[in-house]
């Protein structure tokens, strides 16, 4: 049977691990791409589309919590709701977000802490997908 929460866990973990692998392989090219293309000085229009999709994903996840009988589904819904912080920063305070991203990319120690945190979160999501859902 299809379990929406299990799929979210594995997809989110794959995104976290995949992005860290890409960052490691690309090295300095990643920073240039991130600040030059993804988060260019002029706010890209894709942010509104991805932001809207992100808000819809959070809303749909909570809808699934309400209409399905999956134990502990609220846990992944609460975690995915935290993405609203990043989405909102991108849409409503882009310059501050871009400055933060630039600062993080330049500070190797902070980037390493972020990367380790993302990998730990990804491992936790995989464990949730295997054992919880």
């Amino acid at each position: 049977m299809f379990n929406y929460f299990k799929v979210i866990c594995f997809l989110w973990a794959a995104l976290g691990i995949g992005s860290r692998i890409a960052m490691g392989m690309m090295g300095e090219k990643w920073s240039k791409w991130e600040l030059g293309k993804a988060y260019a000085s002029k706010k890209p229009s894709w942010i509104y589309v991805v932001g809207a999709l992100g808000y819809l994903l959070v809303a749909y996840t909570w809808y699934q919590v309400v209409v399905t009988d999956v134990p502990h589904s609220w846990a992944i819904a609460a975690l995915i709701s935290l993405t609203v912080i990043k989405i909102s920063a991108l849409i409503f305070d882009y310059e501050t977000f871009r400055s933060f991203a630039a600062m993080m990319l330049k500070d190797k120690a902070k980037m390493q802490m972020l990367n380790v945190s993302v990998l730990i979160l990804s491992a936790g999501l995989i464990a949730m997908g295997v054992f919880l859902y």
Side-chain angles (χ1 to χ4, degrees):
M1 183 171 121
F2 173 77
N3 184 326
Y4 173 77
F5 301 100
K6 183 179 288 235
V7 170
I8 288 294
C9 286
F10 291 137
L11 286 177
W12 197 2
L15 183 63
I17 294 167
S19 64
R20 300 310 115 172
I21 291 170
M23 290 171 90
M25 290 177 63
M26 291 177 69
E28 206 47 46
K29 290 179 185 176
W30 177 272
S31 297
K32 289 178 183 172
W33 170 80
E34 192 165 334
L35 292 177
K37 301 277 186 194
Y39 305 124
S41 56
K42 182 180 179 220
K43 186 193 292 188
S45 57
W46 65 262
I47 287 175
Y48 296 105
V49 175
V50 171
L53 292 173
Y55 287 136
L56 287 172
L57 178 66
V58 171
Y60 184 74
T61 301
W62 279 107
Y63 169 77
Q64 287 295 313
V65 169
V66 172
V67 301
T68 61
D69 187 26
V70 176
H72 312 293
S73 58
W74 62 269
I76 194 68
L79 280 174
I80 208 161
S81 294
L82 295 174
T83 62
V84 168
I85 297 167
K86 181 178 180 178
I87 295 167
S88 298
L90 276 168
I91 291 173
F92 300 113
D93 198 5
Y94 181 75
E95 287 305 318
T96 302
F97 178 87
R98 188 172 188 282
S99 295
F100 173 77
M103 180 272 301
M104 289 296 291
L105 288 168
K106 289 177 185 166
D107 189 328
K108 300 298 181 195
K110 287 182 181 178
M111 269 313 291
Q112 188 173 11
M113 287 188 336
L114 176 64
N115 290 338
V116 168
S117 298
V118 169
L119 292 173
I120 291 169
L121 173 66
S122 297
L125 289 165
I126 292 168
M128 288 173 73
V130 171
F131 300 111
L132 198 56
Y133 303 118

